[in-house]
Amino acid sequence: MISTHDLGRRPGSMLERHLSLPAPVDLGVDMIGVPKDAEVELDLRFEAVMEGVLVSGTARAPLAGECARCLDPISDEIEVGLQELFFYSDEDASEEDSLLDGELLDLEPTFRDAAVLALPLSPVCSDDCQGLCVECGIRLADAGPDHRHEKIDARWASLQGLVTENDNDQEK
Ligand SMILES: [Zn+2]
Ligand SMILES: [Zn+2]
């Protein structure tokens, strides 16, 4: 909860604040999210308007997750824009609108919604990550360009033999 005590209620009054708040729990998708115990850095502007307090600004949070291709751990950061009008009274607000709780406002749902949309759906450790070998699971970046598997279907193996014999014949 963030206090709007210093702002007061006179329309037109304005405050800017830098805040550092603990990250909401369970903020993430399958492969990546904001780690628990992380801090969210907020640069916010509070403006008193007739109906309530308009909050706008940016939030930055660290990300931790796994590369969707090679499963290496990755860390990243997101920065999202926030804007939300917190109403003084539910008489002016509709059901989806946010309300002030006395002088306090809860920016967490606003941040959560914005952050989830900003998360990469398939995060990668680098844009040219080659991922894992589909045969053996080794990281292709470690395995080198010559990594491949000799795996021939039994039905083709006999043909392969024929081809090799013919090749040998030609070389003689
Ligand atoms: Zn990767
Ligand atoms: Zn392999």
Side-chain angles (χ1 to χ4, degrees), residues 60-118:
R60 273 192 319 280
L63 293 180
E66 280 181 349
C67 173
R69 295 184 201 156
C70 73
L71 306 179
D72 265 11
I74 50 179
S75 55
D76 202 345
E77 195 183 67
I78 46 167
E79 181 169 323
V80 293
L82 304 176
Q83 185 165 32
E84 186 80 25
L85 176 58
F86 290 84
F87 287 83
Y88 293 128
S89 154
D90 58 5
E91 286 167 29
D92 299 321
S94 74
E95 245 177 64
E96 305 91 69
D97 287 329
S98 304
L99 289 174
L100 278 156
D101 180 2
E103 291 181 329
L104 301 175
L105 59 83
D106 182 6
L107 203 58
E108 184 179 314
T110 309
F111 170 67
R112 183 183 283 275
D113 290 351
V116 166
L117 288 176

Side-chain angles (χ1 to χ4, degrees), residues 133 136 147 149:
C133 173
C136 68
H147 180 78
H149 295 265

